[in-house]
Amino acid sequence: FFSLPRSYYRGAAGALLVYDITRRDTFNHLTTWLEDARQHSNSNMVIMLIGNKSDLESRREVKKEEGEAFAREHGLIFME
């Protein structure tokens, strides 16, 4: 998926960065995805961080607080 055409960002008003709360590796790759989105979009684009699969609490590997902290650090909107 990382080879998304740069044209996908052109004219976008917003982006959703989604990670799987049951797979730490998806959270660990957020910085790369965020850098790519910011590099190829306009500076006014709204980016939202989404923690997916919150219904699988028993398999959680990424704490909600970690997602909140990442979003706060990078100026993103956050929700699970």
Side-chain angles (χ1 to χ4, degrees):
F1 293 107
F2 196 68
S3 63
L4 286 174
R6 303 305 181 223
S7 61
Y8 284 4
Y9 294 106
R10 194 173 312 124
L16 298 176
L17 286 181
V18 181
Y19 68 95
D20 181 341
I21 70 163
T22 69
R23 292 183 50 214
R24 166 122 347 239
D25 62 316
T26 63
F27 183 79
N28 293 342
H29 289 105
L30 287 174
T31 301
T32 304
W33 284 104
L34 180 58
E35 288 172 0
D36 191 59
R38 287 195 167 148
Q39 181 180 5
H40 296 97
S41 66
N42 71 60
S43 60
N44 296 323
M45 186 170 78
V46 175
I47 302 175
M48 187 169 196
L49 178 63
I50 308 290
N52 194 28
K53 298 187 182 176
S54 59
D55 58 320
L56 300 176
E57 186 64 38
S58 64
R59 294 175 38 198
R60 181 184 284 273
E61 291 183 6
V62 181
K63 295 178 182 178
K64 184 175 184 178
E65 294 78 16
E66 291 176 274
E68 291 170 333
F70 184 92
R72 190 171 39 255
E73 178 181 335
H74 296 282
L76 310 176
I77 300 166
F78 174 77
M79 74 179 326
E80 281 193 351

